[in-house]
């Protein structure tokens, strides 16, 4: 029994010993002499880990991921294939295409923001400000002015004189809206040739009096054959990748 009580007392005393150890201060905020404040590394790490929980939302809303995934999903629907390729394959392909397309942006963020922060040359706040610049430039290049004006009007913001005046609270929803519109425009163009095949097959079946036979069963091999003959994957992926830097 004495041994058990000793273990319990040790567990209660251990946090106090750790906190009392030198160099283990969890939260320390000191003035930097320029009107700002400097946080301890432990507090900065906590803030950084908390920010990482927003990574899926950032990936969806501030990169090329949404456009790619929507176009690939519409393509699968146009082909008439419900489960091939599977959703996991489409998400994985969209993810790696996103990394490929966003590589210049990520390289700038690493070189201008993350690396100086890891070298303790800049603070966490400065790193965040520097990391915003490449993302802002990318999103502004893909966002329509009409979408920015719409959200500025909804938010009752003043007219922006330069692109740098557009705040992230307006730029992000405007960027997402533009991406959705662009993705559906590409998806509409993808649907047209496959829709023509469906119409031709349905007309032929009706003229032959084969009302009970589903046109989808007959048109599916022709749509797959057309997609393979024109090297569809190469065209779709190449067009998606180049559409972000035209």
């Amino acid at each position: 029994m004495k041994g058990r009580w000793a273990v319990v007392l040790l567990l209660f005393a251990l946090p106090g010993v750790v906190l009392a150890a030198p160099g283990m201060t969890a939260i320390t905020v000191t003035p930097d002499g320029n009107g700002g404040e400097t946080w301890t590394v432990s507090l900065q790490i906590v803030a950084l880990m908390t920010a990482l929980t927003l990574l899926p939302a950032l990936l969806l809303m501030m990169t090329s991921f949404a456009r790619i995934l929507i176009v690939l999903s519409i393509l699968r629907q146009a082909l008439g294939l419900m489960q091939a390729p599977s959703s996991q394959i489409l998400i994985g392909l969209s993810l790696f295409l996103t990394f490929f397309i966003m590589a210049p942006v990520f390289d700038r963020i690493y070189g201008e923001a993350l690396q100086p922060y890891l070298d303790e040359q800049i603070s966490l706040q400065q790193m965040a400000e520097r990391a915003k610049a490449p993302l802002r430039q990318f999103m502004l290049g893909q966002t329509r002015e009409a979408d920015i004006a719409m959200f500025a009007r909804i938010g009752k913001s003043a007219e922006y004189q330069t692109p740098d005046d557009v705040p992230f609270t307006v730029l992000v929803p405007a960027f997402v809206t533009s991406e959705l519109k662009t993705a559906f425009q590409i998806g509409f163009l993808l649907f047209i040739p496959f829709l023509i095949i469906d119409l031709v097959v349905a007309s032929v079946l009706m003229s032959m009096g084969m009302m009970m036979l589903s046109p989808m069963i007959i048109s599916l091999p022709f749509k797959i054959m057309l997609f393979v003959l024109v090297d569809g994957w190469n065209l779709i992926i190449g067009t998606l990748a180049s559409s972000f830097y035209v």
Side-chain angles (χ1 to χ4, degrees), residues 19-107:
L19 291 177
M24 294 296 293
T25 305
I27 300 177
T28 299
V29 181
T30 57
D32 59 4
N34 297 322
E37 295 176 339
T38 302
W39 301 346
T40 55
V41 176
S42 58
L43 187 59
Q44 293 178 13
I45 292 175
V46 171
L48 185 61
M49 295 301 294
T50 304
L52 288 179
T53 60
L54 301 176
L55 187 60
L58 297 178
L59 181 66
L60 289 173
M61 300 294 101
M62 300 175 67
T63 65
S64 58
F65 182 82
R67 182 194 300 188
I68 297 172
L69 183 59
I70 292 173
V71 170
L72 293 180
S73 299
I74 293 177
L75 173 64
R76 182 176 64 179
Q77 184 72 23
L79 284 170
L81 301 172
M82 298 297 104
Q83 299 296 331
S86 64
S87 299
Q88 291 84 353
I89 294 177
L90 292 184
I91 293 175
L93 179 58
S94 301
L95 187 61
F96 280 97
L97 278 177
T98 299
F99 289 150
F100 173 77
I101 294 170
M102 300 294 295
V105 178
F106 292 155
D107 289 341

Side-chain angles (χ1 to χ4, degrees), residues 143-207:
T143 307
R144 296 175 174 83
E145 294 183 3
D147 295 327
I148 295 178
M150 178 188 68
F151 283 99
R153 184 175 62 254
I154 294 174
K156 298 180 181 180
S157 303
E159 184 177 352
Y160 306 118
Q161 302 298 325
T162 63
D164 294 335
D165 296 334
V166 181
F168 256 67
T169 54
V170 173
L171 180 58
V172 172
F175 170 75
V176 175
T177 304
S178 294
E179 286 294 282
L180 291 176
K181 183 176 181 179
T182 303
F184 276 88
Q185 287 176 341
I186 298 175
F188 171 76
L189 296 177
L190 286 176
F191 245 103
I192 293 178
F194 301 116
L195 180 61
I196 294 175
I197 293 177
D198 287 333
L199 291 175
V200 171
V201 171
S203 300
V204 171
L205 291 178
M206 290 185 64
S207 63

Side-chain angles (χ1 to χ4, degrees), residues 101-132:
I101 294 170
M102 300 294 295
V105 178
F106 292 155
D107 289 341
R108 284 189 57 192
I109 293 175
Y110 179 82
E112 299 176 6
L114 184 58
Q115 187 61 49
Y117 172 72
L118 295 177
D119 294 338
E120 299 183 358
Q121 298 176 358
I122 59 176
S123 64
L124 182 63
Q125 294 87 343
Q126 291 174 325
M127 183 196 72
E129 290 297 324
R130 291 189 182 186
K132 287 167 56 177

